């Protein structure tokens, strides 16, 4: 009797293996237990009586997936065959939805088979079940024994109605699964209406597929070994007396019922714990997936992770991650199990891919053949075209944006997707969407910061260049400034010189002019003039004229001082001429002072490269000093010497006197304008003290230099060094 357990959302279908004692019923269940996917079944509960091996009953529960919202559980029982366990058999048979009658093919068991079959009919009726309406199949077991009844004999004896029958060898599993699948399909088809599944070929087909899936052999050695470990579970036995026979039938029935209830509970707990274990493993995987995607920096890697986890967790035959492109249309980012996504390939009547409509709806979608939901017609059509049976498609949503769609597909080899699968896919999709959005943002940020780094580097280089340029300019400016300062100082000095010169000239000019005027007046009154007085006056006139001459020379010198290097006109000046012109005007002065002048020049020196006028003035100024600061009977030597600096030819004009010399302390400013030494005026007659200043300037204008060495008491040595072109 199919049982709806609303509280646990579970439907239980009961199949009972019936037959004579030791016919092989338990062996059949052991085989089924061994080969069925461990994910789908519980342990095999075998309830022994306390005193002998004979079994109360065996129970194996199989999880057949879902029908609507209900978990479908198939409970398979065996009954004990021994005659004395009549009450037990009846109780176990109560509420059964289908029966497998296991007949023993051994010739000597013919009678026991018939007796057991009659017992079955009797007990079905006793339990209010209609023997004619209860699905029933036959297993003719122990076909491997030497002396057995033939199949036609057995059929004639036991199965005159021609119900489905199977020749089996339970010990090796031969025919057992075929028989079990057949009773499963028959029973499910019989109860289909009550399960809310359309009866008829499609509903029955669905249940059949579910049955077949449950029976998918799982025969590898490891699974067999694992299965072997939990077969022999022994529950506390029922109450028996010393002989092992129950005293009261009611008592027996009660004991069996409570054992059934306990076993049922145990099997339910077993199924539940298996489901929980699976869920925990799933959760762990999801958590690990969440961690992985949230740490991922590559958006494409997030999508790959999503696909591989969806395929692994849901054991699907096809899957794809579709992403929205810049234009809004979808494309496959990653796929599994096919080349082109069915939902993307099939167009709706509006000419848009079905996937686009699903994405726009922004809600998860679950479509399968068994859910005849009209609103999913397009989706169903699309997946069936690709030979899939069900699909779950969930949009990837992040920050209110639809990034894409995750779609997983199952074919007939997989149970149709249910609400739990939908939840799982939704969790995966939302974790992935977040990870994807993060990775995209991260990538954009990295690109941005790379751009910024480049910009900063570019700017830094520019700044460095600018800085270097401005440093150079600043240095340049500093140079120019100091040049200007020097020029300004020179100019100021020159200005000072000029002012001083004008002052001195105006002072100095007064005396000779007054003297000349006086002499002229006296000479004008010729009558009063004695010859002696006339001579004296002439001397005065001559002296004052000379003094004026010197003044004029000084003015000329001042003009030279004012002129810059730019105005220099260098030429090849005949050496003898130059020396003569420089010195000749000083002959009288030298004679008057009792000083002799000696000139020494190389005989082969024809010309001197210079500006004639300047060098003439310079040389004369130096020689004049040599005479004026000399002693009576002293000497001034002018010597011309060839010299060289590096590869360039130079000429040195040496003026050596035998005068008092210049004290060491005064040598530094000997060339300053208007300096005339501590004992100025001692032997000196006229002049403004500009001689050395002018000479130095002239030499510098030529790119040459003037240097003075002096030994007080012995004399002074002035060297005019001139570069020669
Ligand atoms: N030769 C042979 N022995 C079998 C076969 N099926 C079961 N048996 C043996 O028969 C005995 C009783 O089997 P069991 O399954 O306990 O019978 P049950 O009383 O109907 O549950 C065991 O020793 C089994 O090994 C079969 O097909 N061939
Ligand atoms: Mg048994």
């Amino acid at each position: 009797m199919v049982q709806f357990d609303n509280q646990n959302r579970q439907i239980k279908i009961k199949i009972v293996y019936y037959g004579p004692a030791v016919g092989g019923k338990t062996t059949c269940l052991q085989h089924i237990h061994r080969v069925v996917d461990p994910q789908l079944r519980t342990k095999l509960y075998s309830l022994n009586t306390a005193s002998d091996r004979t079994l109360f009953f065996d129970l194996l529960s199989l999880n057949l997936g879902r029908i609507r919202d209900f978990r479908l559980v198939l409970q398979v029982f065996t009954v004990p065959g021994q005659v004395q366990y009549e009450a037990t058999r009846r109780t176990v048979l109560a509420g059964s939805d289908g029966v497998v009658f296991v007949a023993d093919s051994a010739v000597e068991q013919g009678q026991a088979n018939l007796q057991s079959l009659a017992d079955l009919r009797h007990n079905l009726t006793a339990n209010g079940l209609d023997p004619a309406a209860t699905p029933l199949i036959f297993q003719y077991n122990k076909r491997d024994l030497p002396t057995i009844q033939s199949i036609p004999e057995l059929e004639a004896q036991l199965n005159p109605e021609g119900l489905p029958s199977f020749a089996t060898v339970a010990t090796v599993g031969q025919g057992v699964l075929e028989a079990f699948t057949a009773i499963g399909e028959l029973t499910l088809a019989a109860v289909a209406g009550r399960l809310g599944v359309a009866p008829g070929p499609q509903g029955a087909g669905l249940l059949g597929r579910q049955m077949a899936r449950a029976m998918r052999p799982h025969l590898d050695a490891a699974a067999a070994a694992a299965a072997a470990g939990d077969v022999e579970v022994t529950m506390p036995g029922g109450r028996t007396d010393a002989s092992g026979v129950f005293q009261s039938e009611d008592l027996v029935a009660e004991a069996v019922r409570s054992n059934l209830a306990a076993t049922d509970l145990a099997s339910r707990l077993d199924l539940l714990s298996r489901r929980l274990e699976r869920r925990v493993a799933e959760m762990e995987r999801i958590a690990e997936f969440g961690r992985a995607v949230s740490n991922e920096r590559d958006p494409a890697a997030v999508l790959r992770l999503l696909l591989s986890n969806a395929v692994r967790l849901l054991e699907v035959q096809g899957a794809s991650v579709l992403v929205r492109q810049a234009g809004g249309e979808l494309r496959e980012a990653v796929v599994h199990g096919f080349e082109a996504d069915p939902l993307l390939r099939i167009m709706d009547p509006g000419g848009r891919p079905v996937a686009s409509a699903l994405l726009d709806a922004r809600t998860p979608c679950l479509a399968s053949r068994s859910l005849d939901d009209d609103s999913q017609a397009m989706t169903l059509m699309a997946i069936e075209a690709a030979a899939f049976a069900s699909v779950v498609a969930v949009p990837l949503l992040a920050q209110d944006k639809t990034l894409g769609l995750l779609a997983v597909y199952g074919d007939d080899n997989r149970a149709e997707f249910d609400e739990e699968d939908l939840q799982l896919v939704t969790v995966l999709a939302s974790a992935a969407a977040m990870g994807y959005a993060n990775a995209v943002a991260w990538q954009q940020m990295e690109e941005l910061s790379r751009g910024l780094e480049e910009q900063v580097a570019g700017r830094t280089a520019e700044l460095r260049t600018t800085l270097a340029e401005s440093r150079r300019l600043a240095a340049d400016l500093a140079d120019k400034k100091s040049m200007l300062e020097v020029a300004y100082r020179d100019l100021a000095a020159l200005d000072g010189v000029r002012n001083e010169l004008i002052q001195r000239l105006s002072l100095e000019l007064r005396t000779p002019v007054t003297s000349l005027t006086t002499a002229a007046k006296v000479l004008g009154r010729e009558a009063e003039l004695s010859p002696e007085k006339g001579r004296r006056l002439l001397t005065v006139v001559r002296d004052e004229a000379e003094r004026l001459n010197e003044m004029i020379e000084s003015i000329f010198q001042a003009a030279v001082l004012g002129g810059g290097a730019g105005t220099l006109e260098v030429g090849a000046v005949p050496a003898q001429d130059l020396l003569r012109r420089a010195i000749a005007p000083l002959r009288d002065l030298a004679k008057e002072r009792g000083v002799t002048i000696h000139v020494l020049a190389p005989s082969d020196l024809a010309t001197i490269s210079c500006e004639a006028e300047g060098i003439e003035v310079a040389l004369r100024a130096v020689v004049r000093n040599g005479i004026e600061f000399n002693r009576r009977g002293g000497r001034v030597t002018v010597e011309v010497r060839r010299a060289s600096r590096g590869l360039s030819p130079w000429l040195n004009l040496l003026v050596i006197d035998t005068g008092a010399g210049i004290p060491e302390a005064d040598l530094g400013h000997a060339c300053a304008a208007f300096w005339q030494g501590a004992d100025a005026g001692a032997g000196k007659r006229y002049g403004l003290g500009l001689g050395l200043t002018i000479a130095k300037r002239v030499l510098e204008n030529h790119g040459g230099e003037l240097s003075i060495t002096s030994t007080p008491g012995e004399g002074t040595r002035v060297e005019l060094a001139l570069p020669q072109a």
Side-chain angles (χ1 to χ4, degrees):
M1 184 79 67
V2 59
Q3 286 179 42
F4 285 82
D5 177 350
N6 275 310
Q7 201 184 346
N8 293 303
R9 316 293 291 162
Q10 188 165 286
I11 299 169
K12 269 193 293 201
I13 292 174
K14 185 172 184 177
I15 290 174
V16 177
Y17 276 61
Y18 212 94
V22 293
K25 301 179 289 298
T26 300
T27 310
C28 287
L29 242 64
Q30 284 170 343
H31 180 71
I32 294 167
H33 175 266
R34 192 160 44 241
V35 301
V36 163
D37 185 345
Q39 295 288 323
L40 300 176
R41 57 143 174 82
T42 61
K43 296 168 185 171
L44 172 59
Y45 297 90
S46 291
L47 276 117
N48 298 332
T49 56
S51 54
D52 61 44
R53 182 193 175 275
T54 316
L55 303 169
F56 254 151
F57 59 85
D58 304 304
L59 167 59
L60 174 67
S61 288
L62 295 174
N63 183 358
L64 291 191
R66 286 160 183 273
I67 295 286
R68 295 284 181 222
D69 274 350
F70 285 84
R71 207 168 286 286
L72 182 59
V73 175
L74 198 63
Q75 290 194 318
V76 191
F77 288 84
T78 70
V79 294
Q82 281 79 355
V83 178
Q84 68 269 33
Y85 295 140
E86 161 76 9
T88 307
R89 281 195 292 279
R90 196 185 317 135
T91 310
V92 172
L93 197 61
S96 61
D97 298 295
V99 177
V100 179
F101 186 84
V102 181
D104 193 330
S105 300
V107 173
E108 64 275 16
Q109 293 298 319
Q111 203 50 43
N113 288 338
L114 281 170
Q115 197 184 330
S116 179
L117 187 58
D119 182 57
L120 168 64
R121 298 226 160 86
H122 170 75
N123 280 331
L124 283 173
T125 312
N127 278 312
L129 298 166
D130 178 2
T134 303
L136 173 66
I137 64 161
F138 289 87
Q139 242 183 270
Y140 304 129
N141 195 33
K142 303 196 185 179
R143 298 308 297 164
D144 58 325
L145 290 183
T147 46
I148 49 175
Q149 289 186 281
S150 70
I151 297 290
E153 263 179 287
L154 286 164
E155 287 275 75
Q157 270 181 28
L158 303 172
N159 186 19
E161 297 100 322
L163 295 172
S165 66
F166 299 83
T168 63
V169 183
T171 39
V172 297
Q174 185 186 308
V176 173
L177 284 185
E178 288 80 346
F180 179 63
T181 307
I183 189 63
E185 282 177 356
L186 266 181
T187 309
L188 287 168
V191 301
R194 306 190 59 187
L195 295 179
V197 179
Q202 213 207 340
L206 166 71
L207 291 168
R209 276 200 303 278
Q210 244 150 324
M211 187 69 205
R213 222 163 14 235
M215 293 301 102
R216 200 183 312 134
H218 193 78
L219 288 168
D220 64 302
D230 59 2
V231 170
E232 289 299 326
V233 174
T234 304
M235 298 290 283
R239 288 156 289 175
T240 58
D241 64 7
S243 69
V245 179
F246 286 97
Q247 289 180 330
S248 145
E249 283 207 355
D250 287 346
L251 209 60
V252 170
E254 186 51 42
V256 172
R257 262 194 298 278
S258 60
N259 273 323
L260 274 176
T263 312
D264 183 38
L265 192 66
S267 94
R268 229 158 60 199
L269 284 174
D270 188 9
L271 276 178
L272 198 67
S273 81
R274 267 159 215 270
R275 252 171 60 212
L276 281 175
E277 268 169 33
R278 255 205 323 280
R279 290 296 275 182
V280 166
E282 259 175 30
M283 289 302 143
E284 275 168 1
R285 274 191 183 179
I286 289 172
E288 195 192 320
F289 169 73
R291 271 194 297 280
V293 292
S294 68
N295 288 331
E296 189 53 65
R297 299 288 179 236
D298 174 12
V302 171
L303 301 182
R304 283 196 299 274
L305 270 175
L306 173 60
L307 187 84
S308 61
N309 275 278
V311 168
R312 215 163 47 140
L313 271 165
L314 290 136
E315 293 172 359
V316 296
Q317 284 71 48
S320 76
V321 180
L322 308 177
V323 289
R324 228 192 235 297
Q325 289 178 292
E329 71 276 18
L330 288 168
R331 70 167 170 82
E332 291 110 341
V334 270
V335 294
H336 166 84
F338 45 69
E339 290 270 306
D341 185 282
L343 292 176
L344 201 54
R345 213 175 40 192
I346 302 291
M347 303 292 160
D348 68 8
R352 299 174 65 221
V354 175
S356 294
L358 289 179
L359 184 57
D360 288 349
R362 298 173 71 103
T363 49
C365 145
L366 164 63
S368 66
R369 280 187 207 143
S370 64
L371 299 173
D372 35 8
D373 180 350
D374 284 347
S375 69
Q376 308 278 22
M378 279 313 302
T379 309
L380 259 184
M381 205 184 81
I383 64 169
E384 277 178 348
F388 288 116
S390 60
V391 65
V392 172
V394 176
L396 303 175
L397 301 174
Q399 288 141 14
D400 222 35
K401 270 198 250 130
T402 48
L403 307 175
L405 193 74
L406 166 65
V408 295
Y409 303 85
D411 63 14
D412 285 336
N413 289 318
R414 188 202 186 285
E416 288 185 346
F417 293 118
D418 57 29
E419 282 295 326
E420 257 176 37
D421 296 322
L422 182 65
Q423 276 171 20
L424 189 61
V425 177
T426 307
V427 169
L428 285 178
S430 63
M434 211 119 79
Y436 184 76
N438 279 348
V440 168
W442 178 263
Q443 226 176 32
Q444 283 169 349
M445 215 164 71
E446 261 196 336
E447 269 162 31
L448 206 70
S449 79
R450 246 202 313 279
L452 273 178
E453 267 166 32
E454 276 162 18
Q455 268 182 31
V456 167
R459 276 295 164 87
T460 309
E462 268 173 38
L463 275 178
R464 260 196 214 115
T465 317
T466 313
L467 196 67
E469 180 72 1
S470 37
R471 282 212 186 107
R472 206 180 52 68
L473 280 176
D476 218 34
L477 275 178
D479 279 358
K480 292 256 164 71
K481 183 170 169 259
S482 63
M483 272 161 71
L484 270 177
E485 274 169 5
V486 169
Y488 177 76
R489 267 202 304 277
D490 282 0
L491 215 63
L494 198 62
D495 230 31
V497 169
R498 281 211 179 113
N499 291 341
E500 179 95 14
L501 184 67
I502 288 162
Q503 252 174 25
R504 288 199 183 205
L505 275 178
S506 57
L507 270 173
E508 298 265 338
L509 273 173
R510 235 170 257 157
T511 324
V513 169
T514 313
S515 302
L516 280 174
T517 313
T518 312
K521 272 180 194 159
V522 174
L523 283 172
R525 300 195 296 269
E526 221 167 313
E528 298 164 29
L529 198 65
S530 66
E532 194 209 342
K533 194 171 183 182
R535 262 194 309 279
R536 218 166 6 97
L537 279 175
L538 269 178
T539 308
V540 167
V541 168
R542 200 189 59 221
D543 283 356
E544 294 307 329
E546 196 175 313
R547 193 157 156 177
L548 277 175
N549 217 16
E550 283 186 17
M551 299 271 173
I552 289 159
E553 169 113 9
S554 288
I555 291 167
F556 175 63
Q557 286 175 344
V560 171
L561 198 61
T567 61
L568 212 59
E569 274 179 29
V570 175
V573 182
Q576 295 301 326
D577 284 2
L578 179 69
L579 292 172
R580 190 171 38 77
R581 272 204 308 276
I583 297 165
L586 302 172
R587 293 281 178 202
D588 284 352
L589 178 64
K591 207 162 143 197
E592 188 187 308
R593 297 289 175 94
V595 172
T596 53
I597 301 175
H598 299 264
V599 178
L600 299 170
S603 56
D604 60 343
L605 181 71
T607 58
I608 296 174
S609 170
C610 67
E611 192 210 37
E613 234 170 39
I615 293 299
E616 202 182 301
V617 168
L619 187 57
R620 188 152 60 235
V622 176
V623 174
R624 183 190 294 277
N625 280 350
I627 297 167
E628 285 184 343
F629 295 102
N630 220 317
R631 59 182 162 79
R632 190 154 283 279
R635 208 150 45 129
V636 174
T637 309
V638 177
E639 191 183 339
V640 182
R641 283 190 197 162
R642 284 202 175 88
S644 65
R645 297 197 179 183
L647 292 175
S648 315
W650 281 60
L651 209 61
N652 291 343
L653 307 175
L654 296 168
V655 180
I656 304 160
D657 68 51
T658 53
I662 305 168
E664 177 117 33
D666 287 341
L667 267 182
H669 39 266
C671 289
F674 309 115
W675 185 84
Q676 291 178 331
D679 54 350
K684 188 180 180 299
R685 288 196 316 178
Y686 311 116
L688 297 171
L690 283 170
L692 279 178
T693 313
I694 285 157
K696 188 168 187 286
R697 175 63 62 96
V698 168
L699 265 297
E700 281 170 0
N701 285 352
H702 276 80
E705 60 195 25
L706 179 146
S707 53
I708 307 174
T709 50
S710 184
T711 316
E714 278 183 24
T716 301
R717 183 181 189 274
V718 179
E719 182 180 304
L720 313 177
L722 255 183
Q724 292 300 286

